[in-house]
Amino acid sequence: LVEEINPQSEEQILEFGFGTGQNLLLVHKENPNTKLGGLDIDPKVKAIAEHKLSKNNIEIPLHLYDGGVLPFADNSFEKVYSCLVFHQLDAVTKMNCLKELHRVLKPNGKLIIADWGKASNKFMRFTFGFVQLLDGFKTTNDNVKGLMPSFIEKAGFGDVLVTKSINTAIGTFSYFKAIKK
């Protein structure tokens, strides 16, 4: 994921759904001069992430999100990335979040999403059933059917690509990239 993000010095980069902060630590380690920020919906994981960052003497602003409008001005970030968030969102929420991410990205800003993608074969489709049992079929069906690129395009992004797909023990994990036009 860090390779896909390719953090550059002084870039404003947002992690959408920072969870326990592990990816923020990795991106910061790759380039400590990147201006990172994080957004998540869960106050409990925010506390865990803040503790983890503090333990490593790293200051990164973390924000809570209510599921509506992102608490950032238009055109705030050069890059936004997200890992294993979108398969947990229903179709309406996916679209609303993607539109908000489009709004807060600067023109020509990059969106990077790492999440479950279209099953690359019948076995991957079968194994992804275990994820669907845990996370719900309503939210995960769009991903496994390969609809993420369509959602991203409908939110206003261009140059939508699946840059890499990896077969895992529980499904096909994909990297989606797009540009704000």
Side-chain angles (χ1 to χ4, degrees):
L1 177 60
V2 175
E3 186 178 301
E4 292 284 330
I5 297 165
N6 188 23
Q8 301 298 304
S9 294
E10 302 306 312
E11 274 186 327
Q12 296 276 352
I13 300 178
L14 175 68
E15 180 172 11
F16 180 75
F18 57 75
T20 62
Q22 190 60 39
N23 289 327
L24 288 169
L25 285 173
L26 294 172
V27 173
H28 176 80
K29 182 179 177 184
E30 180 71 17
N31 190 336
N33 298 315
T34 299
K35 296 178 180 176
L36 288 169
L39 185 74
D40 204 289
I41 200 163
D42 187 342
K44 291 177 185 171
V45 298
K46 181 179 184 249
I48 294 168
E50 286 173 333
H51 175 74
K52 193 181 286 186
L53 292 170
S54 175
K55 195 169 91 174
N56 286 279
N57 295 316
I58 298 171
E59 290 186 32
I60 296 173
L62 301 179
H63 306 271
L64 285 175
Y65 173 53
D66 65 5
V69 176
L70 296 178
F72 306 109
D74 296 0
N75 307 316
S76 295
F77 301 96
E78 277 88 9
K79 294 176 184 167
V80 174
Y81 71 93
S82 181
C83 185
L84 292 172
V85 172
F86 280 88
H87 78 278
Q88 297 178 42
L89 307 176
D90 63 41
V92 170
T93 306
K94 275 182 179 79
M95 186 56 64
N96 289 341
C97 289
L98 286 165
K99 286 179 179 177
E100 276 297 291
L101 295 177
H102 185 272
R103 179 184 66 77
V104 301
L105 272 167
K106 293 179 180 180
N108 295 311
K110 294 180 183 174
L111 174 70
I112 301 111
I113 297 175
D115 211 322
W116 299 112
K118 183 177 182 178
S120 63
N121 57 50
K122 288 180 182 179
F123 182 71
M124 287 295 102
R125 178 64 189 96
F126 172 76
T127 60
F128 190 70
F130 295 108
V131 173
Q132 292 188 289
L133 286 172
L134 291 173
D135 289 344
F137 288 85
K138 182 179 178 185
T139 58
T140 56
N141 273 336
D142 296 330
N143 290 64
V144 76
K145 289 179 179 177
L147 300 178
M148 278 303 295
S150 175
F151 276 97
I152 296 167
E153 285 177 353
K154 286 178 184 171
F157 289 93
D159 300 331
V160 180
L161 297 171
V162 177
T163 59
K164 188 183 298 183
S165 289
I166 303 161
N167 289 332
T168 73
I170 55 172
T172 303
F173 188 80
S174 297
Y175 290 92
F176 306 93
K177 278 183 139 176
I179 304 292
K180 177 179 179 176
K181 294 291 181 184

